[in-house]
């Protein structure tokens, strides 16, 4: 039998309970091992898996216990399950292309084994386990061909030792909170958003918990340790979410597979560079994708909250996009009240005359939100969407931003996916705002360009709390939220909105690289970019919104981060610091090609936080560069091959 799969019949007795290890599955590169156990208790048998990380000849139990099980309205699939058989191991070896994201060509390898169970009523449940080179994914399956049931509870629970450090965001329907770092007696008991980052005590590896490939046959979930601080249980949406509209428990139709429960695992570069959430999600259903174009957009809301009411302001931001070579400008809320010299149709015509494609905001509408901003109901039904998308297509609008979803119940999951399908048929790009964290849908529907689901720069409008914590917050996001999919933070602001920011100009410039988004909405007013030095302006005129490769060069959550991203032969680097003092960071260029010279343009903090310096160097793979960062500082760089 292959070395990466082993059937064991060993038994361990501990504290009155009998444990039997039934199966081990190993990743193709042998770094990650998952074992399946049964546990005999007074209440009957229970099943769980654990995860072991192997590196440099050392094995470490990273997650000691992941409880398994489901409860349907008609049957219990948690206790007294009998293992019928384990399938033959299947080697997954996949390669696919992505139109936007951290990599254009994605590859993954995994070993998959399906374990077949039955409960005392002879009803069947399969658990499908995949062990990837960079993580673990597992899902449940009811293989019967017919039947409709309610899943009353999912018992998947990750037991995490208290000494494991964790970065987690308190649950909120918009996914717009801050991450809290915790361990030991500081671990809070509450409900938590995805994704969640963990660093085990022995520091041999990290892992990030998430879910992927959520479809109409389930709901979105979250993590809860309210019952036990060390046990993070998958939990369904709260009944009151979305103003109480929709059921909290999902209704499923057989045959059925759950979303994938995803654990990215490895060192920090493995986490940041992973595409595992997309890897396990359904392939694209869109055949012709030539109309899907990632890019940067100008955006007036940050500096002019009611700017889209004013035709002249709208055109001012169109001119900014044209001047900066950005393909898009966003007409945010209140475009239907536009005046002062022109209306929506006039603004669209002006944008198109400048070679800029407009994007337009919509309220998701419906009884799930109290937000009355209009247009409110045009996205709510299939008929209204088809009609609206047809009008937008005729006008020349390239995409829509849809806001205020406020729930992850099954009915809202259906709504999200219905929007994406109708938009794809109309060749319309989509940006979700006030929304769910990515679940891999951008692979299935690559017209889904980005999501908000982050405490971003928009919050400089809302309250003073972002100002002091933004430097640290910004260094956590590349290791957490932005790992799992596109994130529209609305970054790169040099002037101030309602409340100031304390990040340096170098820090803000770096965010254009650090934060990945298929459409990157540049939030500052025109003069914020027009007053920049020439090198910084040139950088923002060329920085891409979709990448061929991504490398984490250095960093630690809450302290600093340096990421390099490649488009064709050009590398872009962004680095930021969260510290209260200036620091120096060393950049090594060992990710570059052998025997090739490159021109480095480095734009870094100057003598104060609103100053930038530019230097030029010729480097190669062996070069080392030291960069000085101010307090809450940063830098950006381009690396272009030298023609010989």
């Amino acid at each position: 039998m292959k070395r990466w799969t082993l059937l064991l019949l060993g038994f361990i007795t501990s504290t009155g309970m009998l444990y039997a290890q039934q199966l081990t599955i190993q990743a193709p590169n042998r770094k990650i091992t998952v074992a399946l156990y049964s546990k005999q208790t007074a209440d009957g048998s229970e099943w769980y898996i654990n995860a072991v990380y192997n590196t440099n000849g050392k094995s470490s139990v990273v997650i000691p216990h992941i409880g398994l099980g489901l409860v349907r309205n008609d049957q219990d699939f948690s206790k007294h399950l009998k293992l019928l058989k384990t399938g033959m191991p299947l080697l997954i070896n996949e390669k696919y292309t992505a139109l936007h994201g951290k990599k254009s060509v994605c590859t993954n390898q995994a070993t998959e084994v399906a374990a077949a169970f039955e409960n005392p009523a002879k009803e069947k449940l399969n658990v499908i386990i995949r062990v990837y080179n960079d993580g673990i994914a597992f899902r449940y399956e009811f293989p019967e061909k017919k039947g409709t049931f309610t899943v009353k509870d999912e018992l998947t629970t990750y037991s995490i030792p208290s000494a494991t450090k964790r970065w987690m965001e308190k649950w909120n329907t918009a996914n717009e909170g801050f991450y809290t770092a915790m361990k030991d007696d500081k671990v809070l008991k509450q409900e938590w958003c995805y994704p969640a980052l963990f660093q085990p005590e022995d520091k041999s590896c990290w892992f990030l918990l998430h879910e992927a490939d959520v479809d109409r046959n389930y709901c979105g979930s979250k993590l809860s340790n309210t019952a036990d601080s060390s046990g993070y249980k998958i939990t369904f949406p709260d009944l009151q979410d979305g103003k109480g509209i929709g059921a909290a428990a999902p209704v499923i139709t057989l045959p059925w597979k759950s979303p994938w429960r995803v654990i990215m695992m490895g060192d920090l570069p493995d986490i940041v560079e992973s595409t595992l959430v997309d890897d396990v999600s359904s392939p694209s259903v869109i055949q012709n994708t030539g109309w899907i174009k990632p890019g940067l957009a100008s955006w007036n809301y940050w500096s002019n909250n009611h700017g889209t009411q004013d035709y002249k302001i709208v055109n001012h931001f169109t001119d900014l996009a044209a001047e900066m070579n950005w393909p898009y400008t966003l007409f945010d809320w209140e475009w239907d009240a536009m005046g002062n010299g022109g209306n929506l149709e006039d603004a669209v015509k002006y944008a198109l005359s400048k070679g800029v494609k407009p994007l337009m905001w919509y309220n998701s509408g419906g009884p799930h939100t109290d937000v009355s901003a209009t247009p409110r109901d045009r996205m709510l039904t299939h008929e209204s969407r088809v009609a609206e998308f047809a009008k937008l297509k005729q006008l020349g609008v390239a995409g829509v931003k849809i806001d205020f979803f406020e729930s992850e119940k099954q009915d809202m999951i259906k709504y999200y996916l219905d929007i994406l399908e109708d938009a794809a048929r109309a060749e319309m790009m989509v940006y979700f705002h006030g929304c769910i964290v990515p679940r891999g849908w951008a692979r299935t529907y690559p017209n889904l360009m980005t999501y908000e689901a982050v405490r971003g720069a928009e919050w400089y409008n809302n309250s003073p709390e972002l100002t002091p914590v933004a430097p640290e917050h910004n260094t956590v996001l590349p290791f957490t939220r932005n790992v799992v999919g596109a994130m529209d933070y609305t970054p790169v602001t040099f002037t101030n909105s309602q409340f100031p920011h304390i990040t340096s100009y170098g820090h803000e410039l770096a965010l254009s690289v650090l934060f990945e988004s298929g459409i990157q909405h540049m939030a500052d007013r025109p003069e914020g970019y027009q007053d920049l030095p020439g090198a910084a302006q040139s950088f923002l005129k060329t920085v891409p919104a979709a990448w061929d490769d991504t490398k984490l060069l250095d960093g630690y959550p809450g302290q600093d981060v340096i990421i390099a991203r490649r488009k064709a032969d050009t590398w872009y680097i962004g680095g930021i610091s969260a510290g209260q003092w200036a620091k120096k960071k060393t950049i090594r260029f060992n990710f570059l090609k052998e025997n090739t010279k490159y021109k480095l343009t480095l734009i870094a903090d100057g003598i104060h936080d609103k100053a930038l310096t530019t230097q030029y160097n010729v480097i190669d793979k062996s070069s080392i560069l030291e960069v000085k960062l101010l307090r809450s500082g940063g830098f950006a760089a381009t690396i272009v091959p030298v023609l010989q």
Side-chain angles (χ1 to χ4, degrees):
M1 183 171 286
K2 297 288 186 181
R3 182 173 177 178
W4 28 259
T5 304
L6 179 64
L7 185 63
L8 299 176
L9 296 175
F11 293 89
I12 305 170
T13 303
S14 174
T15 61
M17 292 181 288
L18 191 64
Y19 297 82
Q21 183 177 335
Q22 302 289 351
L23 176 72
T24 65
I25 311 167
Q26 198 167 59
N29 67 4
R30 301 178 181 175
K31 285 189 175 181
I32 302 172
T33 302
V34 171
L36 174 68
Y37 291 87
S38 63
K39 179 173 70 173
Q40 298 295 326
T41 69
D43 296 328
S45 61
E46 298 177 3
W47 291 86
Y48 69 95
I49 59 177
N50 73 0
V52 175
Y53 190 71
N54 314 290
T55 182
N56 299 322
K58 177 185 175 183
S59 294
S60 174
V61 179
V62 178
I63 308 178
H65 190 286
I66 304 172
L68 303 173
L70 294 167
V71 179
R72 264 182 3 200
N73 62 307
D74 66 322
Q75 300 281 339
D76 186 300
F77 295 86
S78 60
K79 300 182 184 299
H80 304 289
L81 287 178
K82 177 182 177 182
L83 179 63
L84 299 179
K85 65 178 181 178
T86 57
M88 292 296 294
L90 173 66
L91 181 63
I92 306 294
N93 193 351
E94 188 182 23
K95 182 177 182 179
Y96 64 95
T97 58
L99 296 181
H100 50 87
K102 64 182 77 170
K103 295 178 183 179
S104 59
V105 178
C106 302
T107 60
N108 61 80
Q109 289 188 319
T111 304
E112 177 183 295
V113 174
F117 298 90
E118 70 174 14
N119 68 5
K122 305 298 183 181
E123 296 286 337
K124 304 296 190 294
L125 171 71
N126 297 335
V127 179
I128 302 167
I129 304 170
R130 288 184 181 178
V131 186
Y132 284 83
N133 286 338
D134 61 346
I136 301 161
F138 63 96
R139 73 191 324 176
Y140 302 100
E141 177 184 41
F142 290 126
E144 285 86 356
K145 301 303 181 184
K146 61 181 180 179
T148 299
F149 306 95
T150 298
V151 178
K152 296 175 62 177
D153 199 7
E154 180 173 337
L155 303 179
T156 306
T157 303
Y158 303 93
S159 294
I160 311 296
S162 62
T164 298
K165 192 170 183 180
R166 61 211 71 190
W167 288 259
M168 305 186 74
E169 177 188 343
K170 183 179 179 180
W171 166 251
N172 63 99
T173 56
N175 296 282
E176 293 183 45
F178 294 113
Y179 276 81
T180 301
M182 304 166 285
K183 63 182 295 187
D184 298 326
D185 60 350
K186 304 298 183 183
V187 173
L188 302 175
K189 295 173 67 174
Q190 58 191 30
E191 293 182 335
W192 303 95
C193 296
Y194 285 120
L197 178 67
F198 297 83
Q199 182 187 28
E201 186 177 17
D202 65 8
K203 298 180 175 57
S204 62
C205 82
W206 299 66
F207 61 95
L208 188 81
L209 300 183
H210 197 42
E211 67 178 3
D213 208 27
V214 180
D215 63 16
R216 294 177 176 85
N217 223 10
Y218 215 58
C219 58
S221 72
K222 57 191 171 183
L223 298 170
S224 174
N225 68 337
T226 55
D228 175 4
S229 63
S230 65
Y232 293 92
K233 180 184 175 298
I234 285 181
T235 306
F236 295 153
D238 297 337
L239 186 60
Q240 66 266 27
D241 291 349
K243 293 183 59 188
I245 303 300
V251 176
I252 64 172
T253 300
L254 307 190
W256 171 84
K257 293 180 180 179
S258 76
W260 287 102
R261 306 306 170 203
V262 176
I263 310 166
M264 284 159 272
M265 186 175 292
D267 57 22
L268 271 181
D270 291 329
I271 302 295
V272 171
E273 299 164 19
S274 176
T275 57
L276 190 54
V277 170
D278 288 340
D279 295 345
V280 300
S281 295
S282 301
S284 175
V285 297
I286 303 176
Q287 299 300 316
N288 172 25
T289 59
W291 52 276
I292 301 173
K293 303 288 187 183
L296 276 61
S298 63
W299 182 54
N300 66 46
Y301 176 83
W302 188 84
S303 55
N304 297 272
N305 291 173
H306 300 280
T308 313
Q309 288 188 11
D310 192 312
Y311 173 72
K312 292 180 180 177
I313 291 176
V314 170
N315 287 354
H316 198 27
F317 279 82
T318 291
D319 291 339
L320 170 66
E323 178 185 347
M324 297 297 291
N325 296 324
W326 299 340
Y328 304 112
T329 188
L330 175 64
F331 299 170
D332 214 294
W333 75 313
E334 298 179 325
W335 55 259
D336 53 344
M338 193 183 303
N340 193 25
N343 59 19
L344 172 67
E345 288 75 13
D346 298 321
V348 171
K349 289 178 183 177
Y350 183 81
L352 294 175
S353 75
K354 296 292 183 178
V356 175
K357 294 181 179 180
L359 312 168
M360 287 171 52
W361 178 94
Y362 287 84
N363 189 336
S364 66
H368 62 271
T369 177
D370 282 328
V371 178
S372 60
T374 59
R376 179 179 160 83
D377 59 354
R378 300 186 197 179
M379 292 293 121
L380 194 57
T381 67
H382 169 70
E383 292 75 19
S384 62
R385 286 191 297 272
V386 169
E388 191 69 9
F389 288 153
K391 292 177 184 177
L392 296 180
K393 187 76 172 177
Q394 186 173 14
L395 277 174
V397 173
V400 292
K401 170 184 176 180
I402 307 175
D403 208 346
F404 305 121
F405 289 90
E406 303 182 20
S407 166
E408 296 182 8
K409 296 175 183 175
Q410 186 176 21
D411 66 328
M412 196 59 64
I413 299 299
K414 292 178 180 177
Y415 185 27
Y416 278 117
L417 297 178
D418 288 347
I419 289 172
L420 291 173
E421 285 196 353
D422 288 341
R425 293 189 187 99
E427 297 190 346
M428 196 68 50
M429 295 184 294
V430 176
Y431 163 23
F432 288 137
H433 197 78
C435 62
I436 196 169
V437 168
R439 297 304 207 275
W441 294 340
R443 182 180 178 191
T444 313
Y445 301 96
N447 60 319
L448 175 52
M449 308 304 291
T450 193
Y451 311 65
E452 186 193 27
V454 65
R455 177 65 66 99
E458 183 183 81
W459 278 84
Y460 286 117
N461 275 294
N462 300 339
S463 72
E465 64 180 346
L466 181 60
T467 296
V469 300
E472 179 179 344
H473 179 57
N474 293 349
T475 64
V476 173
L477 294 174
F479 301 102
T480 51
R481 162 65 181 84
N482 209 187
V483 170
V484 302
M487 178 185 79
D488 193 50
Y489 180 100
T490 55
V492 191
T493 56
F494 303 99
T495 65
N496 285 323
S497 184
Q498 306 292 336
F499 299 94
H501 55 75
I502 60 173
T503 50
S504 75
Y505 274 28
H507 185 116
E508 289 295 318
L509 187 65
L511 299 184
S512 64
V513 177
L514 287 176
F515 293 162
E516 180 271 310
S517 179
I519 294 180
Q520 187 83 280
H521 291 83
M522 308 297 275
D524 209 346
R525 51 181 55 84
E527 53 267 35
Y529 304 111
Q530 293 162 345
D531 293 343
L532 291 172
Q537 279 194 36
S538 296
F539 184 90
L540 292 175
K541 289 178 179 180
T542 62
V543 65
W547 304 98
D548 293 325
D549 200 4
T550 293
K551 300 287 184 185
L552 174 66
L553 304 186
D554 194 10
Y556 187 89
Q559 296 182 11
D560 48 51
V561 57
I562 303 173
I563 289 178
R565 301 190 194 269
R566 180 176 59 83
K567 186 67 173 180
D569 291 331
T570 300
W571 285 92
Y572 295 78
I573 301 180
I576 60 173
S577 166
Q580 296 299 309
W581 297 273
K583 65 168 62 174
K584 293 180 179 179
K585 297 296 294 184
T586 299
I587 307 175
R588 302 182 185 276
F589 299 95
N590 51 11
F591 56 91
L592 298 176
K593 290 181 179 179
E594 297 275 6
N595 305 316
T596 304
K597 298 291 185 182
Y598 294 83
K599 179 183 177 181
L600 170 73
T601 302
L602 176 68
I603 308 167
D605 290 328
I607 58 174
H608 56 75
D609 62 356
K610 292 179 173 56
L612 294 168
T613 62
T614 305
Q615 68 179 77
Y616 305 92
N617 299 90
V618 175
I619 63 168
D620 60 22
K621 186 180 180 72
S622 64
S623 298
I624 298 174
L625 183 69
E626 191 174 74
V627 183
K628 182 179 178 181
L629 286 71
L630 296 178
R631 178 188 68 174
S632 303
F635 68 92
T638 58
I639 305 173
V640 182
V642 176
L643 298 178
Q644 298 179 354

